[in-house]
Amino acid sequence: VYLDADIVVPAGGIAALRDALESDHRIAAVMPRRRLNVTGRPWPVRGYSAIHERLPTFRTGLFGRGMVMISQTGRARFECFPELIADDLFLDGQFSDEEKMEVDQVEVVVEAPYATADLLRRLVRVRRGNAQLRRLAATGEVRAAIRTPDRWAWLRDVVIREPRLVFAGVTYAVVSLLAALLARRS
């Protein structure tokens, strides 16, 4: 079990993940359903989160949950856990989508940042970490099949399908663009 320090494991959560992992030998990684807590957060954080939590990549991605369980066979795919910022993206890159499963009866709460500046700092860190992992994977220093970012999923798969989220989509796009620009700075 890989668990972020700020995640509270619900009662019976580990047993439920283990049971799901053991129920199908084709599954090598399981993760809980996630819920973003945006209570008391400013509107840019709530708007960004409204889009972020609906992105299709989170249906199968092991990242952004704070908790992942992998099988012994899955763990044998890498010798040591590399010292990376994007450790959850590294873990995600070890498994195909068919080998991963979300366990709906287990839910973890991921706390959204309390300030827009904190959200930006988090996103800059994520972008820099993802870039670092992609560089290391490209040079062969790290073995992982890294997902290609889908920069238009927020619009195509979220806002167009749920037009009521258009203002949240604008917020998401602006915050994402700003984070991308800040991540390029030293």
Side-chain angles (χ1 to χ4, degrees):
V1 175
Y2 294 94
L3 181 66
D4 287 352
D6 61 344
I7 297 297
V8 176
V9 179
I14 290 181
L17 290 177
R18 182 202 61 226
D19 292 348
L21 191 60
E22 292 175 349
S23 70
D24 186 342
H25 71 278
R26 295 169 297 187
I27 302 298
V30 293
M31 64 274 192
R33 179 172 39 92
R34 75 177 189 142
R35 179 173 54 86
L36 293 175
N37 181 13
V38 296
T39 304
R41 279 36 170 217
W43 67 265
V45 173
R46 290 192 318 268
Y48 179 90
S49 298
I51 302 300
H52 189 258
E53 69 183 348
R54 290 172 171 83
L55 291 173
T57 191
F58 287 104
R59 291 187 199 116
T60 59
L62 298 178
F63 40 81
R65 296 169 189 274
M67 183 178 182
V68 175
M69 181 181 283
I70 62 174
S71 68
Q72 185 174 3
T73 304
R75 178 58 185 89
R77 293 183 184 183
F78 56 97
E79 189 173 316
C80 62
F81 210 91
E83 299 257 348
L84 296 167
I85 296 169
D87 53 358
D88 49 358
L89 186 60
F90 165 79
L91 201 55
D92 182 72
Q94 303 303 308
F95 307 101
S96 69
D97 286 349
E98 294 75 29
E99 295 175 300
K100 296 180 267 188
M101 181 173 69
E102 183 179 76
V103 179
D104 287 335
Q105 67 264 32
V106 181
E107 178 184 84
V108 294
V109 177
V110 176
E111 296 292 335
Y114 282 93
T116 306
D118 293 337
L119 173 62
L120 280 169
R121 277 191 286 281
R122 180 184 288 183
L123 294 175
V124 166
R125 181 176 178 271
V126 165
R127 285 184 174 272
R128 287 179 177 162
N130 292 353
Q132 173 198 35
L133 180 56
R134 283 189 174 85
R135 277 192 310 274
L136 293 173
T139 63
E141 292 178 60
V142 171
R143 289 191 51 209
I146 310 304
R147 292 173 182 261
T148 304
D150 185 350
R151 304 273 187 234
W152 294 101
W154 67 271
L155 179 61
R156 181 188 63 246
D157 299 326
V158 181
V159 175
I160 289 175
R161 292 182 184 185
E162 293 185 63
R164 67 182 178 79
L165 293 172
V166 69
F167 295 111
V170 170
T171 303
Y172 181 87
V174 169
V175 168
S176 296
L177 181 60
L178 188 54
L181 294 172
L182 291 171
R184 290 187 183 135
R185 294 173 50 190
S186 59

